[in-house]
Amino acid sequence: MCLNRRQVLVGSAAALAGSALAGSAMPASAVQASAVPEFAEGRSGVRMRWLGVAGWELTFAGRRVVIDPYLTRLPVFDQAGKFIENHPLRVRTDLVDRHLAEKPELVLVTHGHYDHMLEAPYLVQKHGSRVIGSETHRNLLLAQGVPKANVTLAGGGEHLDFHGFTVQVFRSLHSVFKDYSTFAPGTLTGVPQRPETISDLVEGGTLAYLVDVGGFSVLFLSGAANFVEREVAGLRPDVLVLAMSGHANVFDYTARALRATRPRVVVPSHHDDMVTQLDDPALPPRGNPAAAAELAETAKRLGLATRVLDPEVLRWYEF
Ligand SMILES: [Zn+2]
């Protein structure tokens, strides 16, 4: 779990206000061009789309990888806007069936929280996909009926060959609240009772992934707005998918991420309100525009040529 829309805004606004160049930050309207950005109509053969929250789908050469799918968008805030910590787990299988109808070969899990791992058991059991996660994530998956054989354990440092593409796993970190705490921390060294509420899905460590398709690479620091700088320094991915949930207490977050990895394109992730349903006409086509604006401002301030793609939810892009 990360933060709600208001908290995302606060984090981004604070970062902008803290910048000497806040006044020259690119306005959201400039980032949100109405047409598909030229650089996102490329011919890499790698297509990707944002599934909302921190979910992503990647296809190339008939292969399919999904990361942190969360189409359900549980209504975890009450009328007063208070977070409901014991909200029951329930998957909107209609939405998963509609939008993720084809088998993903791989499901990558960045961490155990409900807004990242809720749908993994359903998806993996339905399609027989392979899922990658930490020991805790594995235990949470097994508790929900995922067969052992479908789970690949990772701790960071792995470079796995799927023959046609590779996946590197990196040790990463979860974002922190204002008081430097996180929601539902914890690790599980054994298989727990079947999780019933969102608090039962503990973080269990956070991972980052680099998917490389014949030299075209996408780095997913997408699950939580924090990372281990030394783990990813020098990677130079074509695309960096960067979590933009609240990061006011993570030192120099966007600048450190862009400077360490120098991507050609950066795409914000985890920057929507997390609760408006995908089939609700009120759902904005894009996430919080402050996220893309902050990334554009940071790239400009650092003198990087990195371009920002502010993605429309469920729209395919090819780089
Ligand atoms: Zn989380």
Side-chain angles (χ1 to χ4, degrees):
M1 183 267 177
C2 285
L3 300 165
N4 66 24
R5 173 193 288 241
R6 193 170 59 244
Q7 289 167 307
V8 171
L9 270 170
V10 167
S12 298
L16 281 174
S19 160
L21 294 178
S24 64
M26 184 179 287
S29 58
V31 176
Q32 292 192 351
S34 57
V36 176
E38 187 188 325
F39 60 86
E41 296 176 311
R43 297 193 181 148
S44 65
V46 178
R47 300 169 75 221
M48 55 188 278
R49 65 173 179 164
W50 181 40
L51 303 173
V53 192
W56 293 87
E57 184 179 14
L58 210 63
T59 65
F60 43 90
R63 318 285 291 265
R64 187 176 305 273
V65 175
V66 168
I67 178 162
D68 286 356
Y70 181 58
L71 303 167
T72 300
R73 304 170 73 93
L74 290 170
V76 293
F77 297 100
D78 67 15
Q79 299 275 12
K82 190 171 176 295
F83 183 60
I84 306 164
E85 289 189 13
N86 62 351
H87 194 289
L89 299 177
R90 164 182 63 74
V91 174
R92 273 203 65 182
T93 55
D94 61 324
L95 288 179
V96 179
D97 291 345
R98 189 186 315 163
H99 295 295
L100 295 174
E102 293 185 60
K103 175 184 175 173
E105 173 175 346
L106 267 187
V107 177
L108 305 176
V109 172
T110 65
H111 64 285
H113 286 159
Y114 71 94
D115 51 328
H116 302 262
M117 222 177 68
L118 175 74
E119 290 160 9
Y122 176 72
L123 206 54
V124 169
Q125 286 173 94
K126 179 182 172 189
H127 293 292
S129 312
R130 177 174 304 284
V131 54
I132 301 182
S134 73
E135 182 184 17
T136 298
H137 311 152
R138 176 179 181 272
N139 286 326
L140 287 169
L141 291 163
L142 296 188
Q144 295 171 89
V146 173
K148 269 184 193 168
N150 292 71
V151 186
T152 294
L153 203 56
E158 294 84 358
H159 194 162
L160 303 170
D161 195 344
F162 292 95
H163 309 285
F165 70 102
T166 69
V167 174
Q168 285 187 66
V169 189
F170 299 94
R171 190 170 57 92
S172 195
L173 292 170
H174 200 276
S175 50
V176 290
F177 292 131
K178 278 184 187 164
D179 62 357
Y180 303 90
S181 70
T182 61
F183 168 72
T187 55
L188 296 164
T189 54
V191 180
Q193 289 202 320
R194 190 181 186 90
E196 289 180 356
T197 76
I198 59 173
S199 292
D200 294 334
L201 293 181
V202 296
E203 180 207 336
T206 295
L207 299 169
Y209 296 93
L210 182 82
V211 179
D212 190 300
V213 184
F216 182 92
S217 62
V218 185
L219 175 60
F220 290 96
L221 297 181
S222 50
N226 203 348
F227 66 107
V228 182
E229 193 170 341
R230 286 183 181 84
E231 287 278 312
V232 298
L235 282 179
R236 307 284 183 270
D238 292 283
V239 181
L240 167 64
V241 184
L242 187 65
M244 290 296 287
S245 47
H247 52 270
N249 285 355
V250 177
F251 173 69
D252 211 14
Y253 174 65
T254 54
R256 284 197 301 119
L258 291 181
R259 227 174 5 226
T261 60
R262 293 182 173 265
R264 284 202 297 127
V265 179
V266 64
V267 186
S269 173
H270 216 332
H271 60 306
D272 64 7
D273 75 3
M274 300 174 60
V275 291
T276 306
Q277 298 295 290
L278 277 180
D279 48 5
D280 182 342
L283 181 74
R286 293 183 171 86
N288 182 348
E294 182 184 346
L295 289 170
E297 182 273 333
T298 304
K300 184 179 172 189
R301 175 160 53 89
L302 297 177
L304 297 175
T306 302
R307 287 172 289 186
V308 181
L309 172 66
D310 193 5
E312 279 185 33
V313 67
L314 296 177
R315 181 169 186 165
W316 286 103
Y317 295 95
E318 182 169 351
F319 294 97

